[in-house]
Amino acid sequence: MCSNKLFKLFEGFVLLADVFRDLICKKLKWSPSDFYFHLHHPGHLRKKEIRKICKIAKMLLADMLSSHPNLK
């Protein structure tokens, strides 16, 4: 029973990561390979890009928590 809940939680995080990647790629006009390059080499990011990424992450988490209040 517990493993089933953990698996569902894991699936939710994977889906959230996919949505986050897609939003970043769309807003910054990156390909998925650009996203993964910057994920592994964050020193190449400009401050403007970092601010956009943080803003998108906050928006995504706020949307998720507002639509699923039992996660708080």
Side-chain angles (χ1 to χ4, degrees):
M1 174 107 172
C2 184
S3 64
N4 188 29
K5 287 182 180 180
L6 285 174
F7 183 73
K8 286 185 179 199
L9 183 63
F10 173 75
E11 284 182 326
F13 282 128
V14 169
L15 180 60
L16 184 63
D18 290 343
V19 170
F20 179 69
R21 183 200 62 223
D22 292 344
L23 282 172
I24 296 295
C25 290
K26 182 179 176 183
K27 297 283 184 181
L28 297 177
K29 297 181 175 110
W30 287 351
S31 68
S33 62
D34 291 335
F35 174 82
Y36 289 113
F37 172 80
H38 289 297
L39 181 68
H40 295 288
H41 301 83
H44 291 270
L45 291 170
R46 295 185 302 253
K47 287 185 181 183
K48 183 179 179 182
E49 292 170 326
I50 293 169
R51 283 193 297 268
K52 281 186 179 181
I53 291 169
C54 289
K55 184 178 178 182
I56 292 167
K58 287 178 187 177
M59 179 211 47
L60 184 61
L61 288 172
D63 284 350
M64 183 187 71
L65 290 173
S66 68
S67 62
H68 296 89
N70 57 341
L71 291 177
K72 294 179 182 178

